[in-house]
Amino acid sequence: MDMSLEVVLLPVSDVDRAKEFYRDKVGFHVDLDGEVMAGVRIVQLTPPGSGCSIALVDGLRVPTGTPQPGTYHGLQLCVTDAKAAYEELTGRGLEISEPQQFAPQDGATFMYFTDPDGNGWAVQEYRKRATEPLHQVLAELAARGQ
């Protein structure tokens, strides 16, 4: 059975403020913004090049429990050039830490930001993705039966 992680519900206190933040400062694409059932509005946004989106919801009761705004930490985006990403993101007005290299190998450089509610994100530089996009790697693994 194949499974793919495609949407993460992100708890926020103000859907419109969060939509504006993720669209304008982080650069996510707005895929959907509407009432999907009576009294439930969903705004789905996707980072450029990603196969996984975030969903900001208003009025939805989650059967397994409703997370509180500002309680998500460890969400992670990957970029091929941290310095270029830092320049682009700060140019959009995002408050983000400067890239920190924790070790010399690829994948060991990070920077961090929080959304208006305090949900925490990491941005990891993974240069290998410039030549080996994740979707390509996964397709090759699937073709080999791994």
Side-chain angles (χ1 to χ4, degrees), residues 26-99:
V26 189
F28 287 15
H29 178 264
V30 178
D31 304 319
L32 169 74
D33 182 352
E35 190 171 274
V36 295
M37 61 184 85
V40 178
R41 176 182 174 206
I42 295 182
V43 176
Q44 185 170 315
L45 302 107
T46 304
S50 180
C52 188
S53 304
I54 60 170
L56 314 172
V57 298
D58 190 19
L60 179 69
R61 295 189 52 87
V62 180
T64 57
T66 303
Q68 297 303 305
T71 61
Y72 274 29
H73 294 277
L75 296 160
Q76 190 162 311
L77 300 167
C78 290
V79 297
T80 58
D81 183 334
K83 196 173 206 175
Y86 176 81
E87 294 301 323
E88 182 175 331
L89 293 168
T90 56
R92 291 181 185 185
L94 182 66
E95 291 183 26
I96 187 168
S97 67
E98 290 190 26

Side-chain angles (χ1 to χ4, degrees), residues 102-114:
F102 295 102
Q105 73 265 22
D106 191 18
T109 299
F110 290 84
M111 49 193 168
Y112 305 93
F113 71 91
T114 57

